[in-house]
Amino acid sequence: MSKKFNLTLIVILISLSNSFGQNDFRNGYIITNDNDTIQGQADYRSNSKNYESCIFKSEEGEREYFSSQIKGFGYINDKFFSSQIIEGSFVEVLVDGDISLYRSRDKYHIKKDTSLYDLESIVEEVEIDGKIGTRETSRWRGILNYLTGDCLKNSTSSIASLKLDEKSLTRFILKYNSCKGSEFTEFKASKPWTQFDFGATLGLSRSEITTISSGSFAYLDNTYNSIDPSVGVLIAISSPRIAEKIAFQGELHFLKSSYSSLVELEGSSTQYHDTFIDLTTLSIPLSLKYSFPEKKYGLYLQGGINYDYHLRSDTRLLSEQVNGNVVNTFPESSAFEVNDNQIGYWGGIGILKSYQKFKGSLAIRYFQMSTLNKTNGFTANNNRISLNLILYKK
């Protein structure tokens, strides 16, 4: 099942990625060089592309604009890019106020009055005790301290704990503008820094155990299959302001699986071996989830690691030997010992649709786990494919 499924999944991923990976036009606007605002739809692209140009659709059709052609563009209740800060490029405007904060391709910038300052961490060589080393300068902290000291008193300690990232700088600049009592705009204020999505899932899994055995373990079949329901809960954690398409998802599933097989061995006598394997498992999949632009439906891919803890594991072997008209029945015994813990990898693809009070998703997943058996002398590997219905609370 593993090779066939992997090949099928690759074909599905390529075809669906091509279908969903189109332009993501959202309600937006451009500001012309004559200060006219034109409403329309702007392609929601990565910042690296938006620093270069804007693809905009209006009543006049679709057109690509560069920084020399417009003063800026933005998305309703979301990002705004200006061409008036750095010549020849768009920059993202994070905060516009008495002190404004911008983000360009490789650094942050702040502007007060008419002066623009770069905020960047520079690594420089230093000589200590005759040895050459490197250190990271923090001149950007000094710039912040100098520009905000007229309102934020004793801000040295708070600046010392700042990180050179969007979240820390945005909060600090907002604090200063609030202190000044001046009007300011935070363009992505409607988007949370951290978002938690909770959900519940019902699933149906087809699992398979494959064995490589010989000699004293010849009573084991080559493959065992089981189809079983599962229930679970999950939480997805994302940062819409930083990367709205990427989320970390943790899940907890409960499932019970039962396998059985009859092996017949021919020789001087005929042997019949019935094996039964029963597993009660808590499964903990952890994954990174990437979502494509959501239109009528949203497509997402995810993959990561999975941990299985077997709350209960039971294997039984029932054997009979037939020699002519004589039948010998052997006492029931354990077929093999099962590892309490397994770890493996998994990947999946899903389709999402939003409703008024919840979001519904249908996902198909494949799990490949580490060795199942604890007993030496043979190898038992298990994998499973599952279909999951997931409901997220809005």
Side-chain angles (χ1 to χ4, degrees), residues 174-217:
L174 290 176
K175 183 179 178 181
Y176 173 82
N177 284 310
S178 296
C179 175
K180 292 289 288 185
S182 60
E183 292 186 1
F184 62 87
T185 302
E186 182 187 4
F187 283 93
K188 295 187 288 188
S190 61
K191 302 183 76 171
W193 289 107
T194 305
Q195 179 173 302
F196 298 91
D197 291 313
F198 298 91
T201 176
L202 293 174
L204 188 66
S205 298
R206 179 185 182 275
S207 54
E208 180 181 76
I209 298 175
T210 59
T211 66
I212 302 174
S213 59
S214 61
S216 57
F217 295 97

mmCIF file of all heavy atoms in Angstrom, residues 174-217:
data_model
loop_
_atom_site.group_PDB
_atom_site.id
_atom_site.type_symbol
_atom_site.label_atom_id
_atom_site.label_comp_id
_atom_site.label_asym_id
_atom_site.label_seq_id
_atom_site.Cartn_x
_atom_site.Cartn_y
_atom_site.Cartn_z
ATOM 1 N N LEU A 174 3.869 51.882 18.488
ATOM 2 C CA LEU A 174 2.494 52.207 18.888
ATOM 3 C C LEU A 174 2.472 52.851 20.272
ATOM 4 O O LEU A 174 1.712 53.795 20.524
ATOM 5 C CB LEU A 174 1.627 50.938 18.880
ATOM 6 C CG LEU A 174 1.301 50.336 17.513
ATOM 7 C CD1 LEU A 174 0.525 49.044 17.679
ATOM 8 C CD2 LEU A 174 0.501 51.324 16.663
ATOM 9 N N LYS A 175 3.309 52.338 21.163
ATOM 10 C CA LYS A 175 3.394 52.898 22.512
ATOM 11 C C LYS A 175 3.851 54.347 22.468
ATOM 12 O O LYS A 175 3.313 55.210 23.176
ATOM 13 C CB LYS A 175 4.352 52.048 23.352
ATOM 14 C CG LYS A 175 4.485 52.481 24.798
ATOM 15 C CD LYS A 175 5.449 51.559 25.545
ATOM 16 C CE LYS A 175 5.623 52.010 26.997
ATOM 17 N NZ LYS A 175 6.583 51.115 27.718
ATOM 18 N N TYR A 176 4.824 54.635 21.617
ATOM 19 C CA TYR A 176 5.317 56.006 21.509
ATOM 20 C C TYR A 176 4.234 56.922 20.934
ATOM 21 O O TYR A 176 3.987 58.022 21.452
ATOM 22 C CB TYR A 176 6.560 56.061 20.627
ATOM 23 C CG TYR A 176 7.012 57.477 20.360
ATOM 24 C CD1 TYR A 176 7.776 58.169 21.296
ATOM 25 C CD2 TYR A 176 6.638 58.137 19.187
ATOM 26 C CE1 TYR A 176 8.168 59.487 21.070
ATOM 27 C CE2 TYR A 176 7.035 59.443 18.945
ATOM 28 C CZ TYR A 176 7.793 60.117 19.897
ATOM 29 O OH TYR A 176 8.168 61.414 19.677
ATOM 30 N N ASN A 177 3.587 56.525 19.850
ATOM 31 C CA ASN A 177 2.558 57.367 19.237
ATOM 32 C C ASN A 177 1.384 57.605 20.182
ATOM 33 O O ASN A 177 0.797 58.696 20.186
ATOM 34 C CB ASN A 177 2.072 56.743 17.934
ATOM 35 C CG ASN A 177 3.065 56.919 16.796
ATOM 36 O OD1 ASN A 177 3.540 58.016 16.534
ATOM 37 N ND2 ASN A 177 3.396 55.825 16.118
ATOM 38 N N SER A 178 1.048 56.598 20.986
ATOM 39 C CA SER A 178 -0.008 56.786 21.990
ATOM 40 C C SER A 178 0.436 57.789 23.036
ATOM 41 O O SER A 178 -0.358 58.622 23.514
ATOM 42 C CB SER A 178 -0.358 55.449 22.639
ATOM 43 O OG SER A 178 -0.895 54.548 21.697
ATOM 44 N N CYS A 179 1.695 57.708 23.435
ATOM 45 C CA CYS A 179 2.249 58.640 24.412
ATOM 46 C C CYS A 179 2.184 60.075 23.891
ATOM 47 O O CYS A 179 1.853 61.009 24.629
ATOM 48 C CB CYS A 179 3.685 58.252 24.740
ATOM 49 S SG CYS A 179 4.550 59.400 25.841
ATOM 50 N N LYS A 180 2.459 60.271 22.612
ATOM 51 C CA LYS A 180 2.435 61.607 22.021
ATOM 52 C C LYS A 180 1.012 62.132 21.827
ATOM 53 O O LYS A 180 0.805 63.326 21.668
ATOM 54 C CB LYS A 180 3.150 61.590 20.664
ATOM 55 C CG LYS A 180 4.644 61.355 20.744
ATOM 56 C CD LYS A 180 5.376 62.549 21.329
ATOM 57 C CE LYS A 180 5.413 63.704 20.345
ATOM 58 N NZ LYS A 180 6.228 64.841 20.844
ATOM 59 N N GLY A 181 0.049 61.222 21.844
ATOM 60 C CA GLY A 181 -1.324 61.636 21.626
ATOM 61 C C GLY A 181 -1.618 62.017 20.193
ATOM 62 O O GLY A 181 -2.618 62.684 19.899
ATOM 63 N N SER A 182 -0.775 61.595 19.284
ATOM 64 C CA SER A 182 -0.953 61.936 17.875
ATOM 65 C C SER A 182 -1.783 60.866 17.167
ATOM 66 O O SER A 182 -1.909 59.731 17.635
ATOM 67 C CB SER A 182 0.412 62.061 17.187
ATOM 68 O OG SER A 182 1.117 60.823 17.271
ATOM 69 N N GLU A 183 -2.346 61.247 16.041
ATOM 70 C CA GLU A 183 -3.089 60.276 15.244
ATOM 71 C C GLU A 183 -2.107 59.322 14.568
ATOM 72 O O GLU A 183 -1.038 59.736 14.105
ATOM 73 C CB GLU A 183 -3.933 60.983 14.190
ATOM 74 C CG GLU A 183 -5.076 61.800 14.770
ATOM 75 C CD GLU A 183 -5.964 62.371 13.682
ATOM 76 O OE1 GLU A 183 -5.678 62.098 12.495
ATOM 77 O OE2 GLU A 183 -6.927 63.087 14.010
ATOM 78 N N PHE A 184 -2.472 58.073 14.527
ATOM 79 C CA PHE A 184 -1.617 57.087 13.851
ATOM 80 C C PHE A 184 -2.485 55.984 13.274
ATOM 81 O O PHE A 184 -3.637 55.795 13.674
ATOM 82 C CB PHE A 184 -0.573 56.504 14.821
ATOM 83 C CG PHE A 184 -1.148 55.752 15.983
ATOM 84 C CD1 PHE A 184 -1.450 54.394 15.898
ATOM 85 C CD2 PHE A 184 -1.411 56.414 17.179
ATOM 86 C CE1 PHE A 184 -1.975 53.702 16.978
ATOM 87 C CE2 PHE A 184 -1.942 55.728 18.271
ATOM 88 C CZ PHE A 184 -2.214 54.375 18.153
ATOM 89 N N THR A 185 -1.926 55.258 12.340
ATOM 90 C CA THR A 185 -2.620 54.139 11.694
ATOM 91 C C THR A 185 -1.760 52.888 11.792
ATOM 92 O O THR A 185 -0.583 52.910 11.417
ATOM 93 C CB THR A 185 -2.912 54.439 10.215
ATOM 94 O OG1 THR A 185 -3.696 55.627 10.112
ATOM 95 C CG2 THR A 185 -3.670 53.273 9.571
ATOM 96 N N GLU A 186 -2.355 51.827 12.296
ATOM 97 C CA GLU A 186 -1.722 50.502 12.297
ATOM 98 C C GLU A 186 -2.462 49.677 11.243
ATOM 99 O O GLU A 186 -3.606 49.291 11.450
ATOM 100 C CB GLU A 186 -1.820 49.856 13.678
ATOM 101 C CG GLU A 186 -1.148 48.507 13.766
ATOM 102 C CD GLU A 186 -1.414 47.814 15.101
ATOM 103 O OE1 GLU A 186 -2.179 48.356 15.919
ATOM 104 O OE2 GLU A 186 -0.862 46.709 15.297
ATOM 105 N N PHE A 187 -1.809 49.415 10.128
ATOM 106 C CA PHE A 187 -2.531 48.908 8.966
ATOM 107 C C PHE A 187 -3.068 47.491 9.146
ATOM 108 O O PHE A 187 -4.074 47.139 8.556
ATOM 109 C CB PHE A 187 -1.645 48.993 7.719
ATOM 110 C CG PHE A 187 -1.558 50.391 7.169
ATOM 111 C CD1 PHE A 187 -0.523 51.239 7.548
ATOM 112 C CD2 PHE A 187 -2.528 50.865 6.314
ATOM 113 C CE1 PHE A 187 -0.457 52.531 7.054
ATOM 114 C CE2 PHE A 187 -2.471 52.162 5.816
ATOM 115 C CZ PHE A 187 -1.430 52.994 6.192
ATOM 116 N N LYS A 188 -2.417 46.679 9.929
ATOM 117 C CA LYS A 188 -2.874 45.289 10.090
ATOM 118 C C LYS A 188 -3.494 45.056 11.465
ATOM 119 O O LYS A 188 -3.438 43.949 11.992
ATOM 120 C CB LYS A 188 -1.704 44.335 9.853
ATOM 121 C CG LYS A 188 -1.175 44.372 8.420
ATOM 122 C CD LYS A 188 -0.122 43.309 8.152
ATOM 123 C CE LYS A 188 1.184 43.631 8.831
ATOM 124 N NZ LYS A 188 2.269 42.717 8.429
ATOM 125 N N ALA A 189 -4.096 46.110 12.024
ATOM 126 C CA ALA A 189 -4.641 46.014 13.383
ATOM 127 C C ALA A 189 -5.727 44.953 13.497
ATOM 128 O O ALA A 189 -5.939 44.381 14.573
ATOM 129 C CB ALA A 189 -5.181 47.368 13.833
ATOM 130 N N SER A 190 -6.445 44.687 12.398
ATOM 131 C CA SER A 190 -7.546 43.713 12.452
ATOM 132 C C SER A 190 -7.061 42.265 12.409
ATOM 133 O O SER A 190 -7.851 41.337 12.576
ATOM 134 C CB SER A 190 -8.523 43.957 11.304
ATOM 135 O OG SER A 190 -7.879 43.793 10.044
ATOM 136 N N LYS A 191 -5.764 42.079 12.170
ATOM 137 C CA LYS A 191 -5.215 40.719 12.099
ATOM 138 C C LYS A 191 -4.453 40.417 13.386
ATOM 139 O O LYS A 191 -3.557 41.184 13.768
ATOM 140 C CB LYS A 191 -4.284 40.572 10.888
ATOM 141 C CG LYS A 191 -4.961 40.882 9.568
ATOM 142 C CD LYS A 191 -4.038 40.669 8.393
ATOM 143 C CE LYS A 191 -3.859 39.201 8.079
ATOM 144 N NZ LYS A 191 -3.141 38.984 6.811
ATOM 145 N N PRO A 192 -4.791 39.321 14.060
ATOM 146 C CA PRO A 192 -4.119 39.014 15.333
ATOM 147 C C PRO A 192 -2.688 38.533 15.133
ATOM 148 O O PRO A 192 -2.339 37.974 14.092
ATOM 149 C CB PRO A 192 -4.997 37.901 15.923
ATOM 150 C CG PRO A 192 -5.604 37.231 14.729
ATOM 151 C CD PRO A 192 -5.819 38.334 13.722
ATOM 152 N N TRP A 193 -1.866 38.781 16.157
ATOM 153 C CA TRP A 193 -0.505 38.249 16.122
ATOM 154 C C TRP A 193 -0.519 36.734 16.250
ATOM 155 O O TRP A 193 0.237 36.029 15.579
ATOM 156 C CB TRP A 193 0.319 38.848 17.259
ATOM 157 C CG TRP A 193 0.648 40.290 17.074
ATOM 158 C CD1 TRP A 193 0.112 41.358 17.739
ATOM 159 C CD2 TRP A 193 1.582 40.852 16.136
ATOM 160 N NE1 TRP A 193 0.647 42.523 17.285
ATOM 161 C CE2 TRP A 193 1.561 42.258 16.306
ATOM 162 C CE3 TRP A 193 2.434 40.306 15.184
ATOM 163 C CZ2 TRP A 193 2.360 43.114 15.562
ATOM 164 C CZ3 TRP A 193 3.235 41.150 14.438
ATOM 165 C CH2 TRP A 193 3.202 42.538 14.622
ATOM 166 N N THR A 194 -1.382 36.226 17.135
ATOM 167 C CA THR A 194 -1.477 34.775 17.346
ATOM 168 C C THR A 194 -2.941 34.370 17.299
ATOM 169 O O THR A 194 -3.796 35.030 17.903
ATOM 170 C CB THR A 194 -0.881 34.373 18.707
ATOM 171 O OG1 THR A 194 0.468 34.854 18.796
ATOM 172 C CG2 THR A 194 -0.876 32.855 18.857
ATOM 173 N N GLN A 195 -3.223 33.295 16.598
ATOM 174 C CA GLN A 195 -4.592 32.807 16.466
ATOM 175 C C GLN A 195 -4.646 31.326 16.808
ATOM 176 O O GLN A 195 -3.799 30.544 16.364
ATOM 177 C CB GLN A 195 -5.098 33.043 15.041
ATOM 178 C CG GLN A 195 -6.513 32.539 14.782
ATOM 179 C CD GLN A 195 -6.999 32.953 13.414
ATOM 180 O OE1 GLN A 195 -7.058 34.132 13.074
ATOM 181 N NE2 GLN A 195 -7.362 31.967 12.598
ATOM 182 N N PHE A 196 -5.652 30.947 17.592
ATOM 183 C CA PHE A 196 -5.857 29.551 17.982
ATOM 184 C C PHE A 196 -7.164 29.065 17.379
ATOM 185 O O PHE A 196 -8.214 29.690 17.567
ATOM 186 C CB PHE A 196 -5.899 29.404 19.509
ATOM 187 C CG PHE A 196 -4.625 29.816 20.197
ATOM 188 C CD1 PHE A 196 -4.452 31.119 20.631
ATOM 189 C CD2 PHE A 196 -3.609 28.895 20.417
ATOM 190 C CE1 PHE A 196 -3.286 31.507 21.267
ATOM 191 C CE2 PHE A 196 -2.439 29.272 21.055
ATOM 192 C CZ PHE A 196 -2.281 30.582 21.477
ATOM 193 N N ASP A 197 -7.104 27.976 16.636
ATOM 194 C CA ASP A 197 -8.297 27.346 16.073
ATOM 195 C C ASP A 197 -8.450 25.960 16.692
ATOM 196 O O ASP A 197 -7.536 25.129 16.607
ATOM 197 C CB ASP A 197 -8.190 27.224 14.553
ATOM 198 C CG ASP A 197 -8.244 28.571 13.857
ATOM 199 O OD1 ASP A 197 -9.122 29.368 14.205
ATOM 200 O OD2 ASP A 197 -7.397 28.822 12.974
ATOM 201 N N PHE A 198 -9.605 25.736 17.330
ATOM 202 C CA PHE A 198 -9.873 24.459 17.967
ATOM 203 C C PHE A 198 -10.839 23.652 17.106
ATOM 204 O O PHE A 198 -11.728 24.210 16.446
ATOM 205 C CB PHE A 198 -10.474 24.673 19.360
ATOM 206 C CG PHE A 198 -9.564 25.415 20.303
ATOM 207 C CD1 PHE A 198 -9.626 26.797 20.408
ATOM 208 C CD2 PHE A 198 -8.638 24.728 21.073
ATOM 209 C CE1 PHE A 198 -8.789 27.490 21.270
ATOM 210 C CE2 PHE A 198 -7.795 25.403 21.938
ATOM 211 C CZ PHE A 198 -7.869 26.780 22.025
ATOM 212 N N GLY A 199 -10.660 22.340 17.138
ATOM 213 C CA GLY A 199 -11.521 21.498 16.323
ATOM 214 C C GLY A 199 -11.676 20.102 16.870
ATOM 215 O O GLY A 199 -10.994 19.689 17.817
ATOM 216 N N ALA A 200 -12.610 19.378 16.279
ATOM 217 C CA ALA A 200 -12.843 17.973 16.605
ATOM 218 C C ALA A 200 -12.909 17.193 15.302
ATOM 219 O O ALA A 200 -13.260 17.747 14.244
ATOM 220 C CB ALA A 200 -14.138 17.797 17.395
ATOM 221 N N THR A 201 -12.550 15.934 15.365
ATOM 222 C CA THR A 201 -12.479 15.149 14.137
ATOM 223 C C THR A 201 -13.020 13.741 14.328
ATOM 224 O O THR A 201 -12.882 13.134 15.397
ATOM 225 C CB THR A 201 -11.019 15.070 13.623
ATOM 226 O OG1 THR A 201 -10.957 14.226 12.472
ATOM 227 C CG2 THR A 201 -10.089 14.516 14.683
ATOM 228 N N LEU A 202 -13.650 13.248 13.298
ATOM 229 C CA LEU A 202 -14.075 11.849 13.183
ATOM 230 C C LEU A 202 -13.356 11.262 11.979
ATOM 231 O O LEU A 202 -13.288 11.902 10.922
ATOM 232 C CB LEU A 202 -15.587 11.738 13.006
ATOM 233 C CG LEU A 202 -16.465 12.160 14.178
ATOM 234 C CD1 LEU A 202 -17.940 12.119 13.758
ATOM 235 C CD2 LEU A 202 -16.256 11.226 15.366
ATOM 236 N N GLY A 203 -12.837 10.061 12.144
ATOM 237 C CA GLY A 203 -12.068 9.482 11.055
ATOM 238 C C GLY A 203 -12.362 8.018 10.824
ATOM 239 O O GLY A 203 -12.937 7.329 11.685
ATOM 240 N N LEU A 204 -11.971 7.562 9.669
ATOM 241 C CA LEU A 204 -12.036 6.146 9.326
ATOM 242 C C LEU A 204 -10.678 5.773 8.763
ATOM 243 O O LEU A 204 -10.216 6.359 7.782
ATOM 244 C CB LEU A 204 -13.139 5.886 8.300
ATOM 245 C CG LEU A 204 -13.429 4.410 7.996
ATOM 246 C CD1 LEU A 204 -14.000 3.718 9.235
ATOM 247 C CD2 LEU A 204 -14.403 4.287 6.830
ATOM 248 N N SER A 205 -10.027 4.796 9.414
ATOM 249 C CA SER A 205 -8.658 4.436 9.050
ATOM 250 C C SER A 205 -8.584 3.016 8.528
ATOM 251 O O SER A 205 -9.223 2.106 9.062
ATOM 252 C CB SER A 205 -7.733 4.567 10.269
ATOM 253 O OG SER A 205 -7.695 5.888 10.740
ATOM 254 N N ARG A 206 -7.782 2.842 7.472
ATOM 255 C CA ARG A 206 -7.429 1.507 7.008
ATOM 256 C C ARG A 206 -5.949 1.322 7.320
ATOM 257 O O ARG A 206 -5.092 1.996 6.753
ATOM 258 C CB ARG A 206 -7.669 1.341 5.511
ATOM 259 C CG ARG A 206 -7.289 -0.054 4.996
ATOM 260 C CD ARG A 206 -7.427 -0.136 3.481
ATOM 261 N NE ARG A 206 -7.118 -1.473 2.981
ATOM 262 C CZ ARG A 206 -5.908 -1.915 2.694
ATOM 263 N NH1 ARG A 206 -4.858 -1.116 2.877
ATOM 264 N NH2 ARG A 206 -5.726 -3.142 2.241
ATOM 265 N N SER A 207 -5.656 0.431 8.253
ATOM 266 C CA SER A 207 -4.269 0.213 8.657
ATOM 267 C C SER A 207 -3.797 -1.157 8.187
ATOM 268 O O SER A 207 -4.587 -2.087 8.001
ATOM 269 C CB SER A 207 -4.124 0.326 10.180
ATOM 270 O OG SER A 207 -5.016 -0.541 10.843
ATOM 271 N N GLU A 208 -2.487 -1.262 8.020
ATOM 272 C CA GLU A 208 -1.893 -2.493 7.499
ATOM 273 C C GLU A 208 -0.614 -2.799 8.269
ATOM 274 O O GLU A 208 0.210 -1.914 8.494
ATOM 275 C CB GLU A 208 -1.583 -2.320 6.016
ATOM 276 C CG GLU A 208 -0.947 -3.548 5.374
ATOM 277 C CD GLU A 208 -0.635 -3.311 3.910
ATOM 278 O OE1 GLU A 208 0.350 -2.603 3.619
ATOM 279 O OE2 GLU A 208 -1.387 -3.827 3.067
ATOM 280 N N ILE A 209 -0.490 -4.031 8.696
ATOM 281 C CA ILE A 209 0.739 -4.525 9.309
ATOM 282 C C ILE A 209 1.386 -5.497 8.330
ATOM 283 O O ILE A 209 0.748 -6.450 7.873
ATOM 284 C CB ILE A 209 0.464 -5.236 10.644
ATOM 285 C CG1 ILE A 209 -0.155 -4.267 11.652
ATOM 286 C CG2 ILE A 209 1.757 -5.819 11.222
ATOM 287 C CD1 ILE A 209 -0.572 -4.935 12.958
ATOM 288 N N THR A 210 2.634 -5.243 7.981
ATOM 289 C CA THR A 210 3.374 -6.154 7.110
ATOM 290 C C THR A 210 4.504 -6.777 7.909
ATOM 291 O O THR A 210 5.164 -6.099 8.710
ATOM 292 C CB THR A 210 3.943 -5.406 5.896
ATOM 293 O OG1 THR A 210 4.814 -4.363 6.334
ATOM 294 C CG2 THR A 210 2.827 -4.809 5.061
ATOM 295 N N THR A 211 4.723 -8.066 7.705
ATOM 296 C CA THR A 211 5.747 -8.773 8.469
ATOM 297 C C THR A 211 6.774 -9.403 7.542
ATOM 298 O O THR A 211 6.464 -9.791 6.408
ATOM 299 C CB THR A 211 5.128 -9.874 9.349
ATOM 300 O OG1 THR A 211 4.558 -10.895 8.512
ATOM 301 C CG2 THR A 211 4.048 -9.315 10.264
ATOM 302 N N ILE A 212 7.980 -9.454 8.035
ATOM 303 C CA ILE A 212 9.058 -10.197 7.382
ATOM 304 C C ILE A 212 9.503 -11.240 8.383
ATOM 305 O O ILE A 212 10.141 -10.933 9.395
ATOM 306 C CB ILE A 212 10.231 -9.274 7.003
ATOM 307 C CG1 ILE A 212 9.755 -8.144 6.089
ATOM 308 C CG2 ILE A 212 11.339 -10.069 6.331
ATOM 309 C CD1 ILE A 212 10.821 -7.121 5.785
ATOM 310 N N SER A 213 9.106 -12.501 8.148
ATOM 311 C CA SER A 213 9.342 -13.539 9.147
ATOM 312 C C SER A 213 9.692 -14.859 8.480
ATOM 313 O O SER A 213 9.423 -15.082 7.304
ATOM 314 C CB SER A 213 8.094 -13.725 10.021
ATOM 315 O OG SER A 213 6.975 -14.092 9.226
ATOM 316 N N SER A 214 10.296 -15.722 9.243
ATOM 317 C CA SER A 214 10.645 -17.068 8.782
ATOM 318 C C SER A 214 10.949 -17.899 10.012
ATOM 319 O O SER A 214 10.937 -17.410 11.151
ATOM 320 C CB SER A 214 11.851 -17.023 7.834
ATOM 321 O OG SER A 214 12.986 -16.494 8.508
ATOM 322 N N GLY A 215 11.235 -19.166 9.782
ATOM 323 C CA GLY A 215 11.625 -20.026 10.894
ATOM 324 C C GLY A 215 10.531 -20.163 11.930
ATOM 325 O O GLY A 215 9.388 -20.528 11.611
ATOM 326 N N SER A 216 10.855 -19.829 13.174
ATOM 327 C CA SER A 216 9.908 -20.012 14.267
ATOM 328 C C SER A 216 8.742 -19.039 14.215
ATOM 329 O O SER A 216 7.790 -19.177 14.990
ATOM 330 C CB SER A 216 10.637 -19.871 15.612
ATOM 331 O OG SER A 216 11.273 -18.614 15.699
ATOM 332 N N PHE A 217 8.805 -18.033 13.319
ATOM 333 C CA PHE A 217 7.701 -17.082 13.197
ATOM 334 C C PHE A 217 6.944 -17.268 11.885
ATOM 335 O O PHE A 217 6.257 -16.355 11.424
ATOM 336 C CB PHE A 217 8.218 -15.647 13.293
ATOM 337 C CG PHE A 217 8.793 -15.303 14.630
ATOM 338 C CD1 PHE A 217 10.158 -15.376 14.846
ATOM 339 C CD2 PHE A 217 7.967 -14.939 15.681
ATOM 340 C CE1 PHE A 217 10.703 -15.068 16.084
ATOM 341 C CE2 PHE A 217 8.494 -14.627 16.925
ATOM 342 C CZ PHE A 217 9.870 -14.690 17.134
#
